[in-house]
Structures are given as structure tokens and as C-alpha cells.
Amino acid sequence: MKEFEACYSANAINMKKSVIRELLKLTARPEIISFAGGLPAPETFPVADLKEAAALVFDKHAAKALQYGTTEGDPDLKEEIIKFESRQGVQLDAKNLLVVSASQQALDMVAKVFLDPGDYVIAGRPTYVGAIQAIQSYSAKVLGIPFTAEQDGFDMAILERSYQLAVGAGKKLKYIYVIPDFQNPAGFCWSLAKRQALLQFAYTNSLIIIEDSPYREIRFIGEHIPSIYQLDQQGANRGIVVNLKTFSKILVPGARVGWIMAHEELINKFVIAKQAMDLCTNVFTQKWLAEYMKTGKLYDVIKSTCANYCEKRNLMVQALEKYMPKRWEIQWTKPEGGLFLWLSLPKFINTDDLIYRAVEEEKVAYVISSAFYFDDPEKNAMRLNFSYSSPELIEEGIKRLARIITREIENYEKGHRAQTSPEGL
Ligand SMILES: Cc1ncc(COP(=O)(O)O)c(C=O)c1O
């Protein structure tokens, strides 16, 4: 309405709807096989144990659990998170830890604390759409850096060049946003060398690194690589890395609880920012997660979740090999962890357009690649989620996707022949 429009802040005008949330509405019909959402597999949720933990909260902590809590987070949960991190070799002190309402709040909080309108964040091309959304909602921009052909991290030469050009042009760059472990959307995992190089780059140029690690524990092939947060801790320990973690992919996303690990000074700033957002993270949920973590069963859940996703990822990769057309260049990533793979198609296929036909004609859905770019989007790729669908639906869904892609290629070839044949002239 006109009255509302006149009142919106500049930031509100810059806010963009999440393409994924919009797509999810389109794909919610039960007959559609959706590889679009970033949903964990519901069969991995330890429902009975979580129910028991919830009952314990009412029995043991009702007065505290139903009351306001501290902004920093529930002490019982913080203690459990510290143990969880220390098992992975992360030294963590309570003063470096803030419990948040899952990672999406942390992304918003980080943008709120660091970004003025017109500032820049360095991030991957492609990168997580929710991070782009948070950055845009503070009227800031993204300096996009492509990944190497080896998919082991940023192309550091381009990073260096783009950074120098941006600084030369008077742009203010505030932080680097990366998802080194099984990135959303493409499933890329950064090598140790690239993590070290990025840390050095940040030290040299006095930048902060926001390391977003929702999929870190969901590695089902290969060896764990230290996080950039750990590399800083083990080395110069300058405290410039902010590490975002969440229960969403290792346990249940419905809890909406995550945590930030960072330098004490930054934690104090985030606490103030969070107070204006929600005073504190849901106290009952924190107590519930703490009770559940005390059982020690989270480690088994993570193990079985990894096994589940490994099987589904393999099935999706096999189905792609079996059904995708062999002519033209069609490629997909083979991630060693996480929830997604990235399918790249010939340039003449625009997945923004194809999605409507895929849903209507073949009842299959994916996320369009253009959602994962701040500007100048690639439009010939898609993100496919392999964690949510059953094995049968993965095979059937890829078969349907291959059919629509094959038709797209045939139409192009027909059009191309018509254009180039003498009759067509
Ligand atoms: C890279 C990345 N960061 C953050 C989030 C948000 O997660 P949460 O459920 O913890 O808010 C997601 C969710 O899919 C993600 O993929």
C-alpha cells in the first residue's frame, strides 16, 4: 500500500525474498518430488530420546526453563557445547561462546554488527542465499569470488586481484564469508592449503573471516580438515575468525538453536545486538538440548546421519550417471559431506525458466542456480538436495529431471539445426 511504502526504511526496501522459500511454496504439492529444500532426513531425528529429554526438563528444570534466560545462553547447554567442540579439538571457553537462535540469526547479527550501507562482504560465487539475504537487508553488497576448477576453495589469484581493485576503487570491505565444509549450494570442501591461504589473506588485509559451518560434522567420506577457526587457534591465534555452528543439520532444525564461537570482544558486541533481536534464545529448547546432549547420544545420531546421507548421495550420483544425457557437457559435484550437489548444464539451458516446466510437466523441483549469486548470476546450474527424499524417490526424481533436460537439449538442437541448415536461412 502507498501509505506503507512511504514509511519503509532504505534497508527494508533492499530486503529480498528468499527465492528458496518462494520455490518451496511452489513445490509443496505432494505429487512433486522436491530436491529443492535444504531439509535433513526426518528419519534421522531421534524422536523417542528427544521426548525423554523434554520430559526431564519439565521434571528437573521447569522454573528455569519456562523463565527468561541470559542473552549469552543457558549455562548447561554451553557446557555441553564446550565438550562437543573439545572432542573435535576446538579449545573453547564460555566467554568465547554465544548461543543463538540458529545460524540464520548469527548471519543477520554479523551483518548488523559489521555492515554499513554500501559496505562489501567477500563471498563465494555461488554462496548461501540466506547469507546474501542478510547482507542485502543492511544495504551492503557482495564482492563475489569464483572457486577453482578443482573446487578446493576460492581462486586466490582472483581474490587478490578483486580485492586490490575494490580497495583502489574506494570500496569498504568488512569481512569474508565462507562455508569451507560442504558448502551450500555446491558441496565444495576447502583444502587445508586453501584454508591456510585465506587465513593469511585475512591477516594481511586486516579482515574478519565469518566461517559458517552447519555441515562440518556431516562428513561421510574422507578425513576431517581443521576449520579456519581451529587453524587460527593453533597458529597466530589472532581471534579474527568467527565460527557459526548449528544443531539444524546434526540433530533437528526445528530446535532453531546454534552457537557462535568468536573473540570475547566480538561476543560482547553480538550479545548487545541479540538483545535487541530476541533478548535470549528459547530457554526451554536450550535446556532440552542440554538434557539430550548429556545422554551422549548425539555422536551416534551424527554417525548414522552421515551413513544415511552417504547412501543417498551415492544413489543420486549413480542415477545422474545412468539417466542424464551423455551429449553436451553436463557435470555434477560429488561432495564428501553435506546435503547438496550442484548440477551444471550447457549454457543454453536457463534453469530459471526450466523450473516451471520441471514442476508442471515432470513434477520434479530443484533450486535455480541464480538464487546463489548476489549479482551477474550463472543461470545454467541447479542445486539438488539428496538428504530428504527416500532412495526410491531419488532415482525417480533424477529420471524425471533427466527427461526434461533431454527435451530441452533436443529442442535446442532442433532450433540450432533449423537456424544453420540452408532451408532455415
Ligand atoms: C550455509 C548455511 N548457513 C546457515 C544456514 C541456516 O541454518 P540454521 O537452520 O542454523 O538457521 C543454512 C541452512 O541451510 C546454511 O546452509
PDB file of all heavy atoms in Angstrom, residues 21 38 101-105 107 128 131 177 179 183-184 212-215 244-249 253 256-258 340 383, ligand 1:
ATOM      1  N   ARG A  21      12.476 -20.036  -0.338  1.00  0.00           N
ATOM      2  CA  ARG A  21      11.191 -20.093   0.378  1.00  0.00           C
ATOM      3  C   ARG A  21      10.031 -19.986  -0.633  1.00  0.00           C
ATOM      4  O   ARG A  21       9.021 -20.643  -0.507  1.00  0.00           O
ATOM      5  CB  ARG A  21      11.048 -18.965   1.401  1.00  0.00           C
ATOM      6  CG  ARG A  21      12.132 -18.879   2.406  1.00  0.00           C
ATOM      7  CD  ARG A  21      11.855 -19.706   3.662  1.00  0.00           C
ATOM      8  NE  ARG A  21      13.130 -20.199   4.135  1.00  0.00           N
ATOM      9  CZ  ARG A  21      13.453 -21.456   4.361  1.00  0.00           C
ATOM     10  NH1 ARG A  21      12.572 -22.403   4.241  1.00  0.00           N
ATOM     11  NH2 ARG A  21      14.650 -21.810   4.741  1.00  0.00           N
ATOM     12  N   GLY A  38      16.411 -27.527   1.762  1.00  0.00           N
ATOM     13  CA  GLY A  38      17.654 -27.991   2.399  1.00  0.00           C
ATOM     14  C   GLY A  38      17.314 -28.835   3.618  1.00  0.00           C
ATOM     15  O   GLY A  38      17.918 -28.670   4.672  1.00  0.00           O
ATOM     16  N   SER A 101      19.689 -18.134  18.081  1.00  0.00           N
ATOM     17  CA  SER A 101      18.500 -18.796  17.530  1.00  0.00           C
ATOM     18  C   SER A 101      18.830 -19.293  16.120  1.00  0.00           C
ATOM     19  O   SER A 101      18.345 -18.773  15.121  1.00  0.00           O
ATOM     20  CB  SER A 101      17.324 -17.821  17.514  1.00  0.00           C
ATOM     21  OG  SER A 101      17.107 -17.336  18.827  1.00  0.00           O
ATOM     22  N   ALA A 102      19.751 -20.257  16.101  1.00  0.00           N
ATOM     23  CA  ALA A 102      20.266 -20.920  14.895  1.00  0.00           C
ATOM     24  C   ALA A 102      21.130 -19.981  14.047  1.00  0.00           C
ATOM     25  O   ALA A 102      21.205 -18.773  14.299  1.00  0.00           O
ATOM     26  CB  ALA A 102      19.152 -21.566  14.085  1.00  0.00           C
ATOM     27  N   SER A 103      21.773 -20.562  13.063  1.00  0.00           N
ATOM     28  CA  SER A 103      22.805 -19.828  12.305  1.00  0.00           C
ATOM     29  C   SER A 103      22.254 -18.656  11.520  1.00  0.00           C
ATOM     30  O   SER A 103      22.969 -17.698  11.253  1.00  0.00           O
ATOM     31  CB  SER A 103      23.499 -20.762  11.323  1.00  0.00           C
ATOM     32  OG  SER A 103      24.370 -21.597  11.997  1.00  0.00           O
ATOM     33  N   GLN A 104      20.991 -18.755  11.109  1.00  0.00           N
ATOM     34  CA  GLN A 104      20.454 -17.646  10.322  1.00  0.00           C
ATOM     35  C   GLN A 104      20.433 -16.368  11.161  1.00  0.00           C
ATOM     36  O   GLN A 104      20.710 -15.290  10.648  1.00  0.00           O
ATOM     37  CB  GLN A 104      19.065 -17.995   9.794  1.00  0.00           C
ATOM     38  CG  GLN A 104      18.573 -17.060   8.718  1.00  0.00           C
ATOM     39  CD  GLN A 104      19.488 -17.025   7.481  1.00  0.00           C
ATOM     40  OE1 GLN A 104      19.963 -18.057   7.016  1.00  0.00           O
ATOM     41  NE2 GLN A 104      19.751 -15.836   6.962  1.00  0.00           N
ATOM     42  N   GLN A 105      20.165 -16.503  12.455  1.00  0.00           N
ATOM     43  CA  GLN A 105      20.224 -15.319  13.313  1.00  0.00           C
ATOM     44  C   GLN A 105      21.657 -14.807  13.402  1.00  0.00           C
ATOM     45  O   GLN A 105      21.898 -13.594  13.391  1.00  0.00           O
ATOM     46  CB  GLN A 105      19.702 -15.619  14.732  1.00  0.00           C
ATOM     47  CG  GLN A 105      19.722 -14.358  15.575  1.00  0.00           C
ATOM     48  CD  GLN A 105      19.230 -14.554  16.994  1.00  0.00           C
ATOM     49  OE1 GLN A 105      19.724 -15.407  17.715  1.00  0.00           O
ATOM     50  NE2 GLN A 105      18.244 -13.765  17.379  1.00  0.00           N
ATOM     51  N   LEU A 107      23.919 -15.017  11.126  1.00  0.00           N
ATOM     52  CA  LEU A 107      24.262 -14.324   9.875  1.00  0.00           C
ATOM     53  C   LEU A 107      23.699 -12.900   9.873  1.00  0.00           C
ATOM     54  O   LEU A 107      24.350 -11.958   9.419  1.00  0.00           O
ATOM     55  CB  LEU A 107      23.718 -15.108   8.670  1.00  0.00           C
ATOM     56  CG  LEU A 107      24.455 -16.415   8.377  1.00  0.00           C
ATOM     57  CD1 LEU A 107      23.730 -17.220   7.308  1.00  0.00           C
ATOM     58  CD2 LEU A 107      25.892 -16.137   7.936  1.00  0.00           C
ATOM     59  N   TYR A 128      25.698 -19.202  -0.104  1.00  0.00           N
ATOM     60  CA  TYR A 128      24.410 -19.466   0.553  1.00  0.00           C
ATOM     61  C   TYR A 128      23.456 -18.272   0.424  1.00  0.00           C
ATOM     62  O   TYR A 128      23.797 -17.153   0.821  1.00  0.00           O
ATOM     63  CB  TYR A 128      24.667 -19.800   2.030  1.00  0.00           C
ATOM     64  CG  TYR A 128      23.424 -19.913   2.877  1.00  0.00           C
ATOM     65  CD1 TYR A 128      22.355 -20.713   2.494  1.00  0.00           C
ATOM     66  CD2 TYR A 128      23.314 -19.206   4.070  1.00  0.00           C
ATOM     67  CE1 TYR A 128      21.211 -20.807   3.271  1.00  0.00           C
ATOM     68  CE2 TYR A 128      22.185 -19.309   4.868  1.00  0.00           C
ATOM     69  CZ  TYR A 128      21.133 -20.102   4.449  1.00  0.00           C
ATOM     70  OH  TYR A 128      19.999 -20.193   5.219  1.00  0.00           O
ATOM     71  N   ALA A 131      22.745 -15.983   3.433  1.00  0.00           N
ATOM     72  CA  ALA A 131      23.788 -15.018   3.793  1.00  0.00           C
ATOM     73  C   ALA A 131      23.658 -13.789   2.911  1.00  0.00           C
ATOM     74  O   ALA A 131      23.778 -12.649   3.380  1.00  0.00           O
ATOM     75  CB  ALA A 131      25.172 -15.649   3.628  1.00  0.00           C
ATOM     76  N   TYR A 177      33.041 -14.039   3.946  1.00  0.00           N
ATOM     77  CA  TYR A 177      32.078 -15.064   4.359  1.00  0.00           C
ATOM     78  C   TYR A 177      32.371 -16.350   3.596  1.00  0.00           C
ATOM     79  O   TYR A 177      32.353 -16.357   2.361  1.00  0.00           O
ATOM     80  CB  TYR A 177      30.652 -14.585   4.070  1.00  0.00           C
ATOM     81  CG  TYR A 177      29.622 -15.686   4.255  1.00  0.00           C
ATOM     82  CD1 TYR A 177      29.290 -16.138   5.533  1.00  0.00           C
ATOM     83  CD2 TYR A 177      29.019 -16.297   3.164  1.00  0.00           C
ATOM     84  CE1 TYR A 177      28.373 -17.164   5.702  1.00  0.00           C
ATOM     85  CE2 TYR A 177      28.093 -17.311   3.330  1.00  0.00           C
ATOM     86  CZ  TYR A 177      27.770 -17.747   4.607  1.00  0.00           C
ATOM     87  OH  TYR A 177      26.869 -18.768   4.782  1.00  0.00           O
ATOM     88  N   ILE A 179      31.993 -20.921   3.609  1.00  0.00           N
ATOM     89  CA  ILE A 179      31.417 -22.169   4.140  1.00  0.00           C
ATOM     90  C   ILE A 179      32.387 -23.270   3.712  1.00  0.00           C
ATOM     91  O   ILE A 179      32.168 -23.944   2.700  1.00  0.00           O
ATOM     92  CB  ILE A 179      30.012 -22.430   3.529  1.00  0.00           C
ATOM     93  CG1 ILE A 179      29.167 -21.151   3.540  1.00  0.00           C
ATOM     94  CG2 ILE A 179      29.296 -23.589   4.234  1.00  0.00           C
ATOM     95  CD1 ILE A 179      28.120 -21.108   2.434  1.00  0.00           C
ATOM     96  N   GLN A 183      30.005 -26.872   1.265  1.00  0.00           N
ATOM     97  CA  GLN A 183      29.311 -25.606   1.038  1.00  0.00           C
ATOM     98  C   GLN A 183      27.885 -25.794   0.498  1.00  0.00           C
ATOM     99  O   GLN A 183      27.613 -26.713  -0.271  1.00  0.00           O
ATOM    100  CB  GLN A 183      30.191 -24.837   0.038  1.00  0.00           C
ATOM    101  CG  GLN A 183      29.756 -23.484  -0.327  1.00  0.00           C
ATOM    102  CD  GLN A 183      29.532 -23.392  -1.826  1.00  0.00           C
ATOM    103  OE1 GLN A 183      29.148 -24.356  -2.456  1.00  0.00           O
ATOM    104  NE2 GLN A 183      29.756 -22.227  -2.377  1.00  0.00           N
ATOM    105  N   ASN A 184      27.023 -24.931   0.912  1.00  0.00           N
ATOM    106  CA  ASN A 184      25.718 -24.754   0.316  1.00  0.00           C
ATOM    107  C   ASN A 184      25.882 -23.595  -0.674  1.00  0.00           C
ATOM    108  O   ASN A 184      26.281 -22.503  -0.247  1.00  0.00           O
ATOM    109  CB  ASN A 184      24.714 -24.378   1.424  1.00  0.00           C
ATOM    110  CG  ASN A 184      23.306 -24.153   0.918  1.00  0.00           C
ATOM    111  OD1 ASN A 184      23.042 -24.269  -0.272  1.00  0.00           O
ATOM    112  ND2 ASN A 184      22.399 -23.837   1.837  1.00  0.00           N
ATOM    113  N   ASP A 212      31.119 -20.203   8.281  1.00  0.00           N
ATOM    114  CA  ASP A 212      29.791 -20.763   8.535  1.00  0.00           C
ATOM    115  C   ASP A 212      29.904 -22.284   8.352  1.00  0.00           C
ATOM    116  O   ASP A 212      30.209 -22.756   7.262  1.00  0.00           O
ATOM    117  CB  ASP A 212      28.822 -20.132   7.510  1.00  0.00           C
ATOM    118  CG  ASP A 212      27.371 -20.428   7.805  1.00  0.00           C
ATOM    119  OD1 ASP A 212      27.083 -21.008   8.861  1.00  0.00           O
ATOM    120  OD2 ASP A 212      26.514 -20.077   6.960  1.00  0.00           O
ATOM    121  N   SER A 213      29.652 -23.036   9.430  1.00  0.00           N
ATOM    122  CA  SER A 213      29.946 -24.475   9.383  1.00  0.00           C
ATOM    123  C   SER A 213      28.762 -25.364   9.755  1.00  0.00           C
ATOM    124  O   SER A 213      28.892 -26.254  10.607  1.00  0.00           O
ATOM    125  CB  SER A 213      31.110 -24.786  10.339  1.00  0.00           C
ATOM    126  OG  SER A 213      32.199 -23.932  10.128  1.00  0.00           O
ATOM    127  N   PRO A 214      27.605 -25.188   9.125  1.00  0.00           N
ATOM    128  CA  PRO A 214      26.481 -26.048   9.527  1.00  0.00           C
ATOM    129  C   PRO A 214      26.648 -27.519   9.151  1.00  0.00           C
ATOM    130  O   PRO A 214      26.024 -28.389   9.740  1.00  0.00           O
ATOM    131  CB  PRO A 214      25.286 -25.440   8.771  1.00  0.00           C
ATOM    132  CG  PRO A 214      25.866 -24.674   7.641  1.00  0.00           C
ATOM    133  CD  PRO A 214      27.222 -24.219   8.077  1.00  0.00           C
ATOM    134  N   TYR A 215      27.516 -27.770   8.148  1.00  0.00           N
ATOM    135  CA  TYR A 215      27.650 -29.155   7.648  1.00  0.00           C
ATOM    136  C   TYR A 215      28.949 -29.813   8.084  1.00  0.00           C
ATOM    137  O   TYR A 215      29.266 -30.905   7.630  1.00  0.00           O
ATOM    138  CB  TYR A 215      27.574 -29.145   6.103  1.00  0.00           C
ATOM    139  CG  TYR A 215      26.372 -28.394   5.609  1.00  0.00           C
ATOM    140  CD1 TYR A 215      26.481 -27.120   5.063  1.00  0.00           C
ATOM    141  CD2 TYR A 215      25.103 -28.941   5.748  1.00  0.00           C
ATOM    142  CE1 TYR A 215      25.358 -26.411   4.657  1.00  0.00           C
ATOM    143  CE2 TYR A 215      23.974 -28.237   5.348  1.00  0.00           C
ATOM    144  CZ  TYR A 215      24.115 -26.980   4.806  1.00  0.00           C
ATOM    145  OH  TYR A 215      22.995 -26.286   4.420  1.00  0.00           O
ATOM    146  N   LEU A 244      30.415 -20.072  12.971  1.00  0.00           N
ATOM    147  CA  LEU A 244      28.988 -20.266  13.214  1.00  0.00           C
ATOM    148  C   LEU A 244      28.646 -21.745  13.137  1.00  0.00           C
ATOM    149  O   LEU A 244      28.989 -22.412  12.163  1.00  0.00           O
ATOM    150  CB  LEU A 244      28.150 -19.512  12.170  1.00  0.00           C
ATOM    151  CG  LEU A 244      28.568 -18.080  11.814  1.00  0.00           C
ATOM    152  CD1 LEU A 244      27.567 -17.480  10.823  1.00  0.00           C
ATOM    153  CD2 LEU A 244      28.670 -17.207  13.046  1.00  0.00           C
ATOM    154  N   LYS A 245      27.983 -22.238  14.175  1.00  0.00           N
ATOM    155  CA  LYS A 245      27.584 -23.660  14.214  1.00  0.00           C
ATOM    156  C   LYS A 245      26.080 -23.740  14.533  1.00  0.00           C
ATOM    157  O   LYS A 245      25.493 -22.788  15.044  1.00  0.00           O
ATOM    158  CB  LYS A 245      28.383 -24.411  15.295  1.00  0.00           C
ATOM    159  CG  LYS A 245      29.877 -24.356  15.146  1.00  0.00           C
ATOM    160  CD  LYS A 245      30.432 -25.182  14.001  1.00  0.00           C
ATOM    161  CE  LYS A 245      30.314 -26.663  14.132  1.00  0.00           C
ATOM    162  NZ  LYS A 245      31.337 -27.283  14.991  1.00  0.00           N
ATOM    163  N   THR A 246      25.508 -24.915  14.277  1.00  0.00           N
ATOM    164  CA  THR A 246      24.069 -25.059  14.479  1.00  0.00           C
ATOM    165  C   THR A 246      23.684 -26.514  14.759  1.00  0.00           C
ATOM    166  O   THR A 246      24.386 -27.434  14.330  1.00  0.00           O
ATOM    167  CB  THR A 246      23.315 -24.541  13.228  1.00  0.00           C
ATOM    168  OG1 THR A 246      21.921 -24.757  13.395  1.00  0.00           O
ATOM    169  CG2 THR A 246      23.765 -25.227  11.954  1.00  0.00           C
ATOM    170  N   PHE A 247      22.568 -26.678  15.461  1.00  0.00           N
ATOM    171  CA  PHE A 247      22.033 -28.030  15.653  1.00  0.00           C
ATOM    172  C   PHE A 247      21.177 -28.481  14.460  1.00  0.00           C
ATOM    173  O   PHE A 247      20.720 -29.611  14.423  1.00  0.00           O
ATOM    174  CB  PHE A 247      21.166 -28.074  16.926  1.00  0.00           C
ATOM    175  CG  PHE A 247      21.964 -28.058  18.198  1.00  0.00           C
ATOM    176  CD1 PHE A 247      22.107 -26.895  18.932  1.00  0.00           C
ATOM    177  CD2 PHE A 247      22.585 -29.218  18.648  1.00  0.00           C
ATOM    178  CE1 PHE A 247      22.864 -26.877  20.109  1.00  0.00           C
ATOM    179  CE2 PHE A 247      23.335 -29.209  19.824  1.00  0.00           C
ATOM    180  CZ  PHE A 247      23.473 -28.034  20.554  1.00  0.00           C
ATOM    181  N   SER A 248      20.972 -27.562  13.504  1.00  0.00           N
ATOM    182  CA  SER A 248      19.993 -27.842  12.444  1.00  0.00           C
ATOM    183  C   SER A 248      20.313 -29.067  11.606  1.00  0.00           C
ATOM    184  O   SER A 248      19.413 -29.804  11.229  1.00  0.00           O
ATOM    185  CB  SER A 248      19.866 -26.629  11.522  1.00  0.00           C
ATOM    186  OG  SER A 248      19.214 -25.591  12.204  1.00  0.00           O
ATOM    187  N   LYS A 249      21.581 -29.270  11.274  1.00  0.00           N
ATOM    188  CA  LYS A 249      21.904 -30.386  10.382  1.00  0.00           C
ATOM    189  C   LYS A 249      22.485 -31.584  11.127  1.00  0.00           C
ATOM    190  O   LYS A 249      22.583 -32.664  10.558  1.00  0.00           O
ATOM    191  CB  LYS A 249      22.869 -29.902   9.281  1.00  0.00           C
ATOM    192  CG  LYS A 249      22.359 -28.706   8.475  1.00  0.00           C
ATOM    193  CD  LYS A 249      21.016 -28.982   7.852  1.00  0.00           C
ATOM    194  CE  LYS A 249      20.525 -27.988   6.825  1.00  0.00           C
ATOM    195  NZ  LYS A 249      20.443 -26.587   7.152  1.00  0.00           N
ATOM    196  N   PRO A 253      16.484 -29.272  12.837  1.00  0.00           N
ATOM    197  CA  PRO A 253      16.408 -27.836  12.525  1.00  0.00           C
ATOM    198  C   PRO A 253      15.271 -27.127  13.261  1.00  0.00           C
ATOM    199  O   PRO A 253      15.326 -25.921  13.481  1.00  0.00           O
ATOM    200  CB  PRO A 253      16.183 -27.806  11.008  1.00  0.00           C
ATOM    201  CG  PRO A 253      15.661 -29.147  10.639  1.00  0.00           C
ATOM    202  CD  PRO A 253      16.180 -30.113  11.667  1.00  0.00           C
ATOM    203  N   ARG A 256      15.888 -24.705  16.233  1.00  0.00           N
ATOM    204  CA  ARG A 256      16.309 -23.321  15.953  1.00  0.00           C
ATOM    205  C   ARG A 256      17.350 -22.843  16.980  1.00  0.00           C
ATOM    206  O   ARG A 256      17.214 -21.778  17.576  1.00  0.00           O
ATOM    207  CB  ARG A 256      15.120 -22.321  15.904  1.00  0.00           C
ATOM    208  CG  ARG A 256      13.966 -22.682  15.005  1.00  0.00           C
ATOM    209  CD  ARG A 256      14.350 -22.998  13.578  1.00  0.00           C
ATOM    210  NE  ARG A 256      15.034 -21.944  12.895  1.00  0.00           N
ATOM    211  CZ  ARG A 256      16.160 -22.149  12.166  1.00  0.00           C
ATOM    212  NH1 ARG A 256      16.690 -23.364  12.052  1.00  0.00           N
ATOM    213  NH2 ARG A 256      16.738 -21.151  11.552  1.00  0.00           N
ATOM    214  N   VAL A 257      18.336 -23.656  17.204  1.00  0.00           N
ATOM    215  CA  VAL A 257      19.421 -23.271  18.115  1.00  0.00           C
ATOM    216  C   VAL A 257      20.761 -23.515  17.436  1.00  0.00           C
ATOM    217  O   VAL A 257      20.969 -24.542  16.781  1.00  0.00           O
ATOM    218  CB  VAL A 257      19.357 -24.043  19.453  1.00  0.00           C
ATOM    219  CG1 VAL A 257      20.565 -23.698  20.344  1.00  0.00           C
ATOM    220  CG2 VAL A 257      18.065 -23.708  20.211  1.00  0.00           C
ATOM    221  N   GLY A 258      21.644 -22.546  17.606  1.00  0.00           N
ATOM    222  CA  GLY A 258      23.003 -22.672  17.101  1.00  0.00           C
ATOM    223  C   GLY A 258      23.950 -21.953  18.042  1.00  0.00           C
ATOM    224  O   GLY A 258      23.539 -21.520  19.127  1.00  0.00           O
ATOM    225  N   PHE A 340      23.966 -31.374  -0.302  1.00  0.00           N
ATOM    226  CA  PHE A 340      23.654 -30.925  -1.663  1.00  0.00           C
ATOM    227  C   PHE A 340      24.704 -31.314  -2.678  1.00  0.00           C
ATOM    228  O   PHE A 340      25.883 -31.407  -2.352  1.00  0.00           O
ATOM    229  CB  PHE A 340      23.597 -29.385  -1.707  1.00  0.00           C
ATOM    230  CG  PHE A 340      22.720 -28.789  -0.663  1.00  0.00           C
ATOM    231  CD1 PHE A 340      23.272 -28.145   0.440  1.00  0.00           C
ATOM    232  CD2 PHE A 340      21.336 -28.864  -0.763  1.00  0.00           C
ATOM    233  CE1 PHE A 340      22.474 -27.579   1.414  1.00  0.00           C
ATOM    234  CE2 PHE A 340      20.526 -28.301   0.217  1.00  0.00           C
ATOM    235  CZ  PHE A 340      21.096 -27.663   1.302  1.00  0.00           C
ATOM    236  N   ARG A 383      20.821 -26.550  -7.745  1.00  0.00           N
ATOM    237  CA  ARG A 383      21.205 -27.250  -6.517  1.00  0.00           C
ATOM    238  C   ARG A 383      20.230 -28.393  -6.299  1.00  0.00           C
ATOM    239  O   ARG A 383      19.014 -28.208  -6.361  1.00  0.00           O
ATOM    240  CB  ARG A 383      21.145 -26.286  -5.322  1.00  0.00           C
ATOM    241  CG  ARG A 383      21.692 -26.909  -4.043  1.00  0.00           C
ATOM    242  CD  ARG A 383      21.387 -26.065  -2.818  1.00  0.00           C
ATOM    243  NE  ARG A 383      20.007 -26.232  -2.379  1.00  0.00           N
ATOM    244  CZ  ARG A 383      19.478 -25.618  -1.304  1.00  0.00           C
ATOM    245  NH1 ARG A 383      20.219 -24.792  -0.593  1.00  0.00           N
ATOM    246  NH2 ARG A 383      18.216 -25.817  -0.962  1.00  0.00           N
TER     247      ARG A 383
HETATM  248  C1  LIG B   1      25.412 -22.329   4.861  1.00  0.00           C
HETATM  249  C2  LIG B   1      24.243 -22.177   5.757  1.00  0.00           C
HETATM  250  N1  LIG B   1      24.302 -21.299   6.773  1.00  0.00           N
HETATM  251  C3  LIG B   1      23.277 -21.120   7.608  1.00  0.00           C
HETATM  252  C4  LIG B   1      22.105 -21.850   7.465  1.00  0.00           C
HETATM  253  C5  LIG B   1      20.975 -21.592   8.430  1.00  0.00           C
HETATM  254  O1  LIG B   1      20.866 -22.640   9.288  1.00  0.00           O
HETATM  255  P1  LIG B   1      20.025 -22.587  10.648  1.00  0.00           P
HETATM  256  O2  LIG B   1      18.970 -23.621  10.485  1.00  0.00           O
HETATM  257  O3  LIG B   1      21.008 -22.939  11.715  1.00  0.00           O
HETATM  258  O4  LIG B   1      19.475 -21.224  10.788  1.00  0.00           O
HETATM  259  C6  LIG B   1      21.995 -22.773   6.433  1.00  0.00           C
HETATM  260  C7  LIG B   1      20.751 -23.527   6.249  1.00  0.00           C
HETATM  261  O5  LIG B   1      20.549 -24.280   5.366  1.00  0.00           O
HETATM  262  C8  LIG B   1      23.096 -22.947   5.558  1.00  0.00           C
HETATM  263  O6  LIG B   1      23.065 -23.800   4.544  1.00  0.00           O
END
